[in-house]
Amino acid sequence: TPIIEFKHVDKYYGKFHALKDINLKINEGEVVSIIGPSGSGKSTLIRTMNGLEKINKGQLLVTGYDLADKKTDINKIRKNVGMVFQHFNLYDNHTVLENVTLAPKIVLKRPDDENKKIAMQYLEKVGMVDKINSYPRQLSGGQKQRVAIARSLAMKPKVILFDEPTSALDPEMIQDVLDVMRYVAEQGITMVVVTHEMGFAREVSNRLIFFDAGHVLEDRKPEEFFAHP
Ligand code: ADP
Ligand code: ADP
């Protein structure tokens, strides 16, 4: 059974038709890359998956909840669905460690000892243990993004959405972040990644969606995509 399912979904910004009759199923553990021109609606598409953008028509089922249903508690979905942004969205007034422990403490009420232990495990995975007491302003873009991914992982979500996670980084930082994303994929977490990184799309994702003008143009395995451009 799919963990994310779009059924005839439409999204408008005023009169602008941003998502056009989207029908899409994503299964648990899949790593899906979404590529396509700027302004085609990629960001809108993934932002609907955790309720950051509301849909106007159709059904959108995410981890068993219908985002089109006004009675659905969006916080329940967000416990299951993490998000990594282009511009990191870290809490500037909190240390690296606090950035990772805050949501599990408040949202999951995870006890402090266990919370810190889990945070440290993920900070180690992303190579940020030596910066736990630093503030975001003291970090490079690549370091900030690795903290953002650790923060997402610490919630132990079923799905992580990535909205152009490497687009704001200096070129020399990109590979470190992609390596961490590969680690996330290996954990069996379902990933939906808007990206321009064709290497990641080809080597790590098992599905590639080409998006254009508000709809899915192609939806294939990467090997098929690259074999028949
Ligand atoms: P992409 O991620 O592919 O660059 P977006 O989803 O960001 O595309 O945007 C798709 C289209 O919707 C663009 O034309 C953009 O200007 C428009 N758009 C995005 N967000 C809004 C918004 N909040 N209000 C109005 N138009 C928007
Ligand atoms: P990014 O490159 O990170 O997607 P954008 O500059 O496309 O950032 O969008 C930043 C914010 O502005 C988003 O919240 C998006 O929804 C909003 N936005 C984008 N295009 C428009 C638009 N044409 N009108 C109003 N808001 C928009």
Side-chain angles (χ1 to χ4, degrees):
T1 60
I3 192 162
I4 297 170
E5 184 167 8
F6 287 75
K7 294 183 185 174
H8 297 292
V9 168
D10 284 278
K11 160 77 185 170
Y12 292 85
Y13 292 113
K15 285 185 179 160
F16 181 75
H17 202 173
L19 299 179
K20 300 171 184 166
D21 192 26
I22 305 293
N23 293 284
L24 188 62
K25 288 182 193 172
I26 296 174
N27 292 317
E28 198 150 8
E30 273 192 304
V31 179
V32 182
S33 287
I34 300 178
I35 59 173
S38 179
S40 58
K42 306 180 298 297
S43 180
T44 302
L45 182 76
I46 68 163
R47 289 163 64 91
T48 62
M49 296 180 201
N50 72 347
L52 278 176
E53 296 286 357
K54 286 201 172 66
I55 64 169
N56 299 109
K57 225 179 94 196
Q59 240 190 342
L60 175 46
L61 303 167
V62 177
T63 64
Y65 299 98
D66 184 2
L67 276 154
D69 185 343
K70 287 179 181 60
K71 293 191 292 284
T72 298
D73 179 0
I74 234 155
N75 293 313
K76 291 200 170 130
I77 296 172
R78 289 192 184 155
K79 275 187 199 174
N80 294 331
V81 183
M83 183 131 185
V84 173
F85 299 89
Q86 183 175 351
H87 296 288
F88 327 117
N89 295 20
L90 294 177
Y91 311 120
D92 291 333
N93 298 320
H94 290 275
T95 64
V96 164
L97 182 59
E98 288 164 356
N99 264 274
V100 180
T101 54
L102 214 56
K105 179 184 174 73
I106 292 168
V107 178
L108 305 180
K109 316 243 183 296
R110 187 180 286 157
D112 285 343
D113 286 358
E114 187 193 351
N115 196 17
K116 181 169 180 194
K117 193 173 143 215
I118 291 170
M120 291 300 289
Q121 280 168 0
Y122 287 122
L123 284 164
E124 192 187 333
K125 294 290 183 197
V126 305
M128 291 298 295
V129 169
D130 55 338
K131 298 283 184 189
I132 56 169
N133 296 316
S134 298
Y135 285 84
R137 65 174 174 277
Q138 299 172 299
L139 306 178
S140 71
Q143 291 173 328
K144 282 187 224 182
Q145 198 61 300
R146 287 186 277 143
V147 172
I149 294 170
R151 176 177 64 174
S152 220
L153 286 167
M155 289 292 285
K156 298 191 181 285
K158 297 193 169 97
V159 179
I160 303 183
L161 309 171
F162 293 80
D163 193 355
E164 299 206 21
T166 59
S167 296
L169 304 181
D170 293 333
E172 66 270 24
M173 312 277 179
I174 290 176
Q175 197 52 51
D176 289 347
V177 171
L178 293 177
D179 288 345
V180 169
M181 289 168 64
R182 188 188 286 267
Y183 162 76
V184 176
E186 287 163 1
Q187 305 313 298
I189 295 170
T190 308
M191 294 168 71
V192 186
V193 185
V194 173
T195 188
H196 300 289
E197 292 295 329
M198 296 312 288
F200 176 88
R202 188 171 58 232
E203 288 153 33
V204 182
S205 54
N206 37 46
R207 197 165 153 197
L208 223 161
I209 291 176
F210 195 87
F211 210 73
D212 190 30
H215 69 272
V216 175
L217 206 62
E218 297 277 0
D219 180 352
R220 299 189 195 182
K221 290 183 165 51
E223 55 269 27
E224 294 168 357
F225 206 95
F226 288 98
H228 312 280

